[in-house]
């Protein structure tokens, strides 16, 4: 009975794991980068110096003219206050494609002359929607359910020999044995993290999985919302925007009397109110508590804090999943754990193909599956590194530059997927794996020289942590890619 159960769970683990694993590899890999989205934005805007002056609340008023211009354009701008992760004031808004961010001197309020970029939030959006809006969000949410199923079946399969398998890592054994050891070690050692991310991520998107209306109605509403009629547009009432705003320093001080000293993080501007919100770094409870002020005279409108056990449960799971409250050490632990989750999916996909190559290697569906695996496991990291290369090589004055960075990422990813599929269909998949892995190694290896050449004010005697860490991770990825190319 037990052997029959393990056999059935093995079939379920293999097929569901491979089908969802290619997408989940992308989710975990992009999630690693999203953990350091703030720091990556600083790497992507090298003109901003690593250190700056202390924050003065009076500097906020110098940002208000730019805020007013964005409100007139129909945007919803917000100011991010300086923090330990980012010492600058930042004016941000979503242009329909990316969150655009402009840094300001926190002491004087002077705008810094930096390049426009999609920033680290590009990978955050990639993580939970695959850059496909609500449809991608739904697919990722269902992949989270598949991950829970795969974890459960994997535990049943390896429970009998869990300890013995865990203690063995044979990188120089036969290829299949070596890849299986990597898969088991990555999955078991980091199982608590992977399970936490799977459960919390699925819980956060519960309304996507189980909407209050039927899926058919949701699709109809989405199409109806995406194509409003001209008559509806003409009936939309005009919103009055104040010509001037009250000074922000007293408003921040008043909000801190309610929320707590040093606990304010964001200032959101709307025609009807100015919303000062609690920082996400205040603790694992992601409350988004805020105090609303009048944009005319600055008097307090309301204090919003959502109560209830269910709400607090959701806030805790969001806080644990997003990890914005953690210190540097904990964020690195999240990064490494997420990277090992991606290794788990990549190695599992490779094992799936290796076990079936002799019997099914000539079948069309097998070749398509291997082409998809190449496009996912190698294509996404290549696209991510190409994103960083594009940030430094595209002209600074290029119009729609953030959108161009995203287009470069997508183009390289698609090129990798098409190339891998062609090599696989031609019956030469190992050639496709090796060529792309060596290309990935090259992109990672030469990112550091690119950073040194294109970063203003670079010095070898003091390398800012953000830049050094990004370059070292890319270098390590290059070494891993080179080793994978040798061991396939």
């Amino acid at each position: 009975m037990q052997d029959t159960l393990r056999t059935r769970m093995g079939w379920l683990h293999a097929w569901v794991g491979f089908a969802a694993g290619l997408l989940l590899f992308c989710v975990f890999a992009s999630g690693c980068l999203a953990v350091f989205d703030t720091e990556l934005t600083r790497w992507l805007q090298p003109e901003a110096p690593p250190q700056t002056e202390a924050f003065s609340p009076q500097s906020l008023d110098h940002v208000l003219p730019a805020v007013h211009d964005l409100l007139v354009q129909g945007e919803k701008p917000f100011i991010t206050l300086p923090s330990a992760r980012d010492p600058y004031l930042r004016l941000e808004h979503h242009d329909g494609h990316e969150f655009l961010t402009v840094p300001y001197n926190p002491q004087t309020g002077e705008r810094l002359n930096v390049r426009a970029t999609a920033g680290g939030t590009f990978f955050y959006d990639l993580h939970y929607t695959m850059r496909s809006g609500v449809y991608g969000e739904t697919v990722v949410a269902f992949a989270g359910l598949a991950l829970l199923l795969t974890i459960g079946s994997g535990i049943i399969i390896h429970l009998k020999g869990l300890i013995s398998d865990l203690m063995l890592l044979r990188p120089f054994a036969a290829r299949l044995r070596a890849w299986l050891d990597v898969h088991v070690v990555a999955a078991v050692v980091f199982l608590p993290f992977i399970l936490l991310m799977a459960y919390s991520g699925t819980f956060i998107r519960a309304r996507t999985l189980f909407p209050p209306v039927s899926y058919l109605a949701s699709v109809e509403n989405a199409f109806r919302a995406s194509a409003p009629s001209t008559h509806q547009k003409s009936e939309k009432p005009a919103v009055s925007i104040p010509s001037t705003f009250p000074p922000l320093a007293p408003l921040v001080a008043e909000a801190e009397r309610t929320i707590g000293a040093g606990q304010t993080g964001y200032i959101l501007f709307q025609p009807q109110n100015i919303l000062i919100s609690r920082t996400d770094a205040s603790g694992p409870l992601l409350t988004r508590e805020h105090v609303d002020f009048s944009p005319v005279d600055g008097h307090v409108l309301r204090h919003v804090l959502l109560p209830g056990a269910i709400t607090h449960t959701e806030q805790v799971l969001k806080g644990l999943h997003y990890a914005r409250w953690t210190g540097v050490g904990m964020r690195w632990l999240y990064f490494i754990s997420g990277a090992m989750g991606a290794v788990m999916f990549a190695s599992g996909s490779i094992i799936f193909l290796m076990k079936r190559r002799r019997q099914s290697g000539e079948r069309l569906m097998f070749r398509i599956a291997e082409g998809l695996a190449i496009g996912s496991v190698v294509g996404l990291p290549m696209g991510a590194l190409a994103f960083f290369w594009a940030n430094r090589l595209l002209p600074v004055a290029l119009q729609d530059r953030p959108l161009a960075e995203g287009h470069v990422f997508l183009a390289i990813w698609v090129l990798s997927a098409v190339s891998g599929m062609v090599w696989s269909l031609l019956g030469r998949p190992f050639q496709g794996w090796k060529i792309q892995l060596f290309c990935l190694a090259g992109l990672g290896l030469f990112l550091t020289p690119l950073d040194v050449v294109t970063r203003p004010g670079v010095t070898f005697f003091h390398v800012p942590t953000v830049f050094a860490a990004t370059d070292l991770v890319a270098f390590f990825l290059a070494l891993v890619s080179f080793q994978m190319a040798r061991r396939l």
Side-chain angles (χ1 to χ4, degrees):
M1 177 66 180
Q2 186 177 6
D3 289 340
T4 303
L5 177 62
R6 290 185 66 192
T7 302
R8 291 176 178 175
M9 289 297 103
W11 181 92
L12 185 68
H13 184 79
W15 287 95
V16 175
F18 181 79
L22 298 180
L23 173 61
L24 288 168
F25 171 84
C26 302
V27 171
F28 270 72
S30 56
C32 290
L33 298 174
V35 170
F36 288 106
D37 57 351
T38 301
E39 290 78 6
L40 288 178
T41 298
R42 296 177 63 186
W43 192 97
L44 295 165
Q45 291 181 327
E47 295 84 3
Q51 287 85 27
T52 187
E53 302 168 89
F55 171 58
S56 170
Q58 284 68 33
S59 64
L60 292 167
D61 295 339
H62 296 276
V63 189
L64 289 178
V67 169
H68 183 270
D69 293 341
L70 288 172
L71 282 172
V72 170
Q73 297 170 21
E75 307 291 350
K76 293 182 179 179
F78 61 96
I79 296 175
T80 302
L81 300 180
S83 65
R85 297 178 63 185
D86 187 3
Y88 296 102
L89 279 175
R90 289 190 181 270
L91 176 60
E92 304 186 47
H93 76 280
H94 195 272
D95 69 344
H97 302 284
E98 314 290 349
F99 273 103
L100 303 183
T101 174
V102 179
Y104 287 77
N105 186 303
Q107 180 72 36
T108 65
E110 178 186 1
R111 175 173 175 167
L112 301 181
N113 186 22
V114 299
R115 66 189 65 196
T117 178
T121 53
F122 176 90
F123 298 103
Y124 173 76
D125 189 24
L126 179 67
H127 172 67
Y128 83 97
T129 70
M130 287 290 110
R131 309 283 299 172
S132 302
V134 67
Y135 306 107
E137 183 180 340
T138 303
V139 172
V140 171
F142 276 105
L145 287 179
L147 173 56
L148 292 172
L149 182 63
T150 306
I151 291 173
S153 58
I155 291 174
I156 293 174
I157 294 169
H158 294 285
L159 188 60
K160 188 175 181 179
L162 185 62
I163 301 300
S164 59
D165 288 343
L166 182 60
M167 300 305 292
L168 289 176
L169 179 60
R170 294 157 285 191
F172 301 106
R175 284 185 173 87
L176 181 58
R177 182 70 257 179
W179 280 110
L180 186 59
D181 287 349
V182 169
H183 181 69
V184 172
V185 170
V188 175
V189 174
F190 296 93
L191 180 62
F193 173 85
I194 295 171
L195 190 58
L196 173 64
M197 292 298 103
Y199 180 78
S200 59
T202 305
F203 183 90
I204 291 170
R205 303 301 169 195
R207 289 181 66 87
T208 303
L209 294 168
F210 310 107
V213 296
S214 68
Y215 283 103
L216 181 60
S218 299
V219 173
E220 291 176 351
N221 290 336
F223 278 109
R224 192 176 297 120
S226 63
S229 65
T230 306
H231 178 66
Q232 289 175 324
K233 285 184 178 179
S234 63
E235 290 182 350
K236 186 176 180 180
V239 179
S240 174
I241 299 174
S243 57
T244 59
F245 293 100
L248 293 181
L251 272 59
V252 172
E254 177 64 30
E256 289 191 342
R257 279 192 285 270
T258 303
I259 296 176
Q263 296 300 306
T264 53
Y266 309 98
I267 306 176
L268 174 64
F269 295 85
Q270 298 176 347
Q272 303 87 354
N273 56 28
I274 298 175
L275 184 153
I276 301 182
S277 174
R278 177 184 291 274
T279 175
D280 291 347
S282 62
L285 202 66
L286 196 63
T287 64
R288 293 294 168 88
E289 176 185 6
H290 55 88
V291 181
D292 296 0
F293 298 88
S294 167
V296 178
D297 57 10
H299 74 272
V300 177
L301 297 176
R302 66 185 69 85
H303 170 221
V304 179
L305 176 61
L306 299 177
I310 296 178
T311 301
H312 286 170
T313 301
E314 181 183 10
Q315 291 168 350
V316 168
L317 288 175
K318 282 185 175 181
L320 292 174
H321 193 90
Y322 297 152
R324 293 172 183 162
W325 55 277
T326 59
V328 176
M330 183 64 73
R331 281 200 299 279
W332 274 111
L333 180 60
Y334 266 67
F335 178 88
I336 294 171
S337 301
M340 295 308 293
V343 168
M344 178 188 72
F345 293 116
S347 58
S349 300
I350 292 172
I351 292 168
F352 179 90
L353 295 170
M354 293 177 72
K355 284 185 174 181
R356 290 159 179 79
R357 187 179 306 281
R358 179 174 298 178
Q359 181 180 356
S360 308
E362 299 302 320
R363 295 182 180 179
L364 177 62
M365 291 305 298
F366 180 90
R367 294 185 176 184
I368 292 175
E370 186 151 25
L372 292 174
I374 296 173
S376 174
V377 174
V378 189
L380 177 77
M382 283 183 64
L385 285 174
F387 178 88
F388 289 101
W389 278 74
N391 171 264
R392 294 300 179 87
L393 295 180
L394 290 174
V396 175
L398 181 67
Q399 189 175 10
D400 295 329
R401 196 173 185 278
L403 196 59
E405 292 176 346
H407 287 164
V408 170
F409 165 85
L410 183 61
I412 296 300
W413 193 3
V414 170
L415 181 62
S416 170
V418 171
S419 173
M421 186 66 70
V422 169
W423 281 112
S424 184
L425 291 175
L426 290 175
R428 302 175 66 184
F430 289 109
Q431 196 77 7
W433 280 105
K434 289 180 180 292
I435 290 175
Q436 296 207 33
L437 284 169
F438 282 125
C439 289
L440 177 60
L443 287 172
L445 183 64
F446 291 105
L447 185 66
T448 299
L450 176 71
D451 177 30
V452 172
V453 171
T454 58
R455 178 164 29 111
V458 65
T459 172
F460 292 100
F461 298 102
H462 174 66
V463 181
T465 306
V466 170
F467 298 93
T470 304
D471 296 346
L472 286 174
V473 169
F475 180 75
F476 181 75
L477 177 61
L479 297 181
V480 171
S481 303
F482 180 75
Q483 179 64 14
M484 281 184 64
R486 291 181 62 250
R487 295 295 296 167
L488 275 173

